[in-house]
Amino acid sequence: MSSTAVIGLQWGDEGKGKVIDGLASDADVVARYAGGNNAGHTVIVGEEKYVLHLIPGGILHEGKINLIGRGVVVNPAALLEEMDGLVARGVPIEERLRIDGRAHVILPYHQQLDGLAEVWRGEGRIGTTGRGIGPAYADKVARTGIRVADLLDPDYFRRRLHAALAEKNAMIERVYGQKPEFDESLADQALECAERLRGLVVDGGALLRQAEADGKRILFEGAQGAMLDLDAGTYPFVTSSWTGVAGIAGGTGFPARSLNRAYAVTKAYTTRVGEGPFPSELHGEMGERLRAAGNEYGATTGRPRRCGWFDAVVARYASALNGLDGIFLTNLDVLSGFEEVPVTVGYRDGDQVLTEFPADGAVLERLEPVQEVLPGWQEDITAVRRFEDLPETCQNYVRFLEQQMGAPIERISVGPGRDQIFRGENGRDCLWT
Ligand code: GDP
Ligand code: IMO
Ligand code: MG
């Protein structure tokens, strides 16, 4: 009986896909609880690259159940496309995938509204992934949303869709001044998708509670990152769900007090896609260098990621608020070749130095990072498999991050491959018990 959460510690894209895939070999169930196909989780197996958007990261392992929890927003057409892509590569999806009937669906008008809202925001745009995530969650909260289970009953679904479309089309026309693109013919397409998904729909909370009672190992897969969390993140430049450990119970129906362990994944530096505060961001040549070294382009939208040095203020804040047992440090290899590796340890706001992450958006806009500069290392470390074999300055860099975060670095990843990972100096043998 063991359940473990793995979340992102920064603004997403920390390498959760690789870590989840690695831990999944010891799991029985892998469950997503937040976000939707805004996520892009990369798993590299040998020469093969998989980018998972909605499907949990245990899908490549035989005999594992992968659950899309009720807190996820599901675009049925996008899910089918992702499933078909995996089936074509020989993954037996139907055996391994389950979807909670309480999960809300993203329909084409959500995607249209996502784009229109961004245009409306102008300079204040969030830089969303354009997948309809915010509008779908807004409908859920407004109680006009449609759930996966509703799609399985055509009459009920048509009634819900009729009501939703009347409202959405009025909004598109009268608020945004655009011609509505969608009518009730949408129902036929959605119902067609639903028929293909019907056999996979379950009560996800019940599945997880039973798995727990049966002594199974459950792995909760975070999407996005702590700083994109609706409440804890850099609001309003966040996503519309609860991305941290706090989102698990609500997003799955697994009792909060039953969770045994929580880990987070962080890069050895920082990236962010989209708009919003990023105190340690590097502008100019150094930022370009980091982007090129880490090949930092979004796995979902292909947008160049903004890059900066490691931000210990962010890491301490996100680590504390999620109550972490340990950290997975990724992309350490990307820092090879830099003369110096600065770490942001505080923020300057006028003549004040802040060491806690501020809530105030206006303060976040004007902060300057306070940095501690550590010596870099030149060696390629992608073939290293033991902490002791890292260059000394690299070991000291890792020790410095560990001390800043106040949680042990369990594993260190030095490349995208499955085998490019090893135990941190204070990492434990078994992460499950
Ligand atoms: P996720 O959203 O957290 O799953 O992360 P993404 O898949 O969006 O982005 C992480 C990227 O870094 C992917 O291209 C991974 O293949 C890659 N990656 C993961 N770990 C490492 C690592 O240790 N070193 C390097 N160089 N790349 C890594
Ligand atoms: P994974 O799981 C990085 C960002 C978007 C935008 C903001 C809101 O791969 O780490 P949304 O479409 O959710 O309304 O966009 O959140 N964002 C991500 N950034 N990784 C992700 O997921 C993200 N999911 C959303 O770029 O800034
Ligand atoms: Mg990603």
Side-chain angles (χ1 to χ4, degrees), residues 199-213:
L200 307 180
V201 180
V202 296
D203 179 334
L207 182 152
L208 292 171
R209 295 189 296 272
Q210 189 61 50
E212 158 90 352

Side-chain angles (χ1 to χ4, degrees), residues 282 286 289-290 309 335-343 371-378 393 397:
L282 284 165
M286 206 51 122
R289 225 180 118 185
L290 204 46
W309 299 122
L335 294 180
S336 290
F338 288 89
E339 284 300 307
E340 294 177 329
V341 266
V343 174
Q371 291 177 327
E372 189 143 335
V373 179
L374 280 79
W377 58 94
Q378 303 307 308
T393 47
Y397 180 73

Side-chain angles (χ1 to χ4, degrees), residues 27-82:
D28 299 297
V29 182
V30 183
R32 275 274 303 268
Y33 59 90
N37 60 333
N38 49 351
H41 296 177
T42 311
V43 180
I44 308 275
V45 185
E47 302 289 299
E48 294 282 310
K49 174 174 168 175
Y50 300 84
V51 182
L52 303 168
H53 299 288
L54 271 165
I55 295 178
I59 201 72
L60 303 177
H61 296 263
E62 201 184 325
K64 317 292 178 187
I65 293 295
N66 289 264
L67 174 70
I68 297 179
R70 69 186 191 191
V72 175
V73 281
V74 178
N75 179 326
L79 175 58
L80 284 168
E81 192 184 325
E82 193 174 333

Side-chain angles (χ1 to χ4, degrees), residues 12-14 16 38-42 299-300 305:
D13 303 331
E14 298 89 349
K16 298 177 294 294
N38 49 351
H41 296 177
T42 311
T300 293
R305 295 177 181 145

Side-chain angles (χ1 to χ4, degrees), residues 56-384:
I59 201 72
L60 303 177
H61 296 263
E62 201 184 325
K64 317 292 178 187
I65 293 295
N66 289 264
L67 174 70
I68 297 179
R70 69 186 191 191
V72 175
V73 281
V74 178
N75 179 326
L79 175 58
L80 284 168
E81 192 184 325
E82 193 174 333
M83 287 166 60
D84 288 344
L86 288 170
V87 168
R89 297 171 79 174
V91 181
I93 283 286
E94 308 225 334
E95 276 167 30
R96 301 182 186 173
L97 185 67
R98 300 291 178 270
I99 308 156
D100 195 316
R102 290 187 173 90
H104 279 246
V105 294
I106 299 181
L107 291 167
Y109 51 79
H110 291 122
Q111 221 170 325
Q112 188 187 3
L113 283 165
D114 195 357
L116 290 171
E118 282 284 83
V119 173
W120 183 270
R121 289 180 195 118
E123 293 272 285
R125 72 184 178 280
I126 296 167
T128 72
T129 58
R131 301 294 189 269
I133 304 291
Y137 279 118
D139 272 6
K140 169 173 167 170
V141 177
R143 292 156 294 179
T144 49
I146 296 177
R147 307 202 286 185
V148 168
D150 302 339
L151 281 180
L152 303 181
D153 183 321
D155 288 341
Y156 185 70
F157 171 62
R158 282 181 199 280
R159 265 190 284 143
R160 298 282 299 163
L161 183 69
H162 179 77
L165 270 176
E167 188 205 13
K168 299 306 164 200
N169 284 345
M171 200 151 108
I172 289 165
E173 207 163 348
R174 295 187 211 153
V175 176
Y176 295 112
Q178 300 289 315
K179 206 169 155 317
E181 285 176 29
F182 303 104
D183 60 29
E184 289 180 35
S185 63
L186 251 187
D188 299 329
Q189 296 155 27
L191 288 169
E192 210 174 291
C193 293
E195 277 322 304
R196 292 192 52 202
L197 298 175
R198 185 182 288 279
L200 307 180
V201 180
V202 296
D203 179 334
L207 182 152
L208 292 171
R209 295 189 296 272
Q210 189 61 50
E212 158 90 352
D214 293 344
K216 301 268 171 68
R217 291 175 171 197
I218 304 169
L219 182 59
F220 292 98
E221 174 179 2
Q224 290 78 54
M227 303 310 286
L228 288 169
D229 181 89
L230 182 55
D231 282 311
T234 46
Y235 192 89
F237 301 98
V238 292
T239 191
S240 299
S241 66
W242 293 280
T243 58
V245 173
I248 293 173
T252 59
F254 185 74
R257 65 195 292 269
S258 300
L259 185 72
N260 299 118
R261 292 262 184 284
Y263 297 103
V265 188
T266 178
K267 277 180 180 152
Y269 50 95
T270 313
T271 62
R272 174 165 203 170
V273 201
E275 306 301 321
F278 181 175
S280 70
E281 182 168 13
L282 284 165
H283 301 280
E285 198 201 325
M286 206 51 122
E288 298 282 339
R289 225 180 118 185
L290 204 46
R291 181 177 308 122
N295 191 24
E296 293 293 356
Y297 294 88
T300 293
T301 59
R303 290 179 289 178
R305 295 177 181 145
R306 298 156 65 192
C307 296
W309 299 122
F310 189 82
D311 188 332
V313 185
V314 162
R316 279 197 302 264
Y317 166 69
S319 174
L321 80 96
N322 284 289
L324 298 180
D325 292 287
I327 306 278
F328 287 75
L329 183 69
T330 63
N331 290 53
L332 186 60
D333 54 298
V334 173
L335 294 180
S336 290
F338 288 89
E339 284 300 307
E340 294 177 329
V341 266
V343 174
T344 296
V345 291
Y347 303 140
R348 195 177 314 283
D349 179 23
D351 51 13
Q352 262 193 310
V353 173
L354 312 178
T355 51
E356 300 293 326
F357 198 83
D360 188 328
V363 173
L364 277 165
E365 266 178 358
R366 61 174 187 245
L367 292 174
E368 292 295 327
V370 176
Q371 291 177 327
E372 189 143 335
V373 179
L374 280 79
W377 58 94
Q378 303 307 308
E379 296 87 338
D380 178 346
I381 59 168
T382 52
V384 171

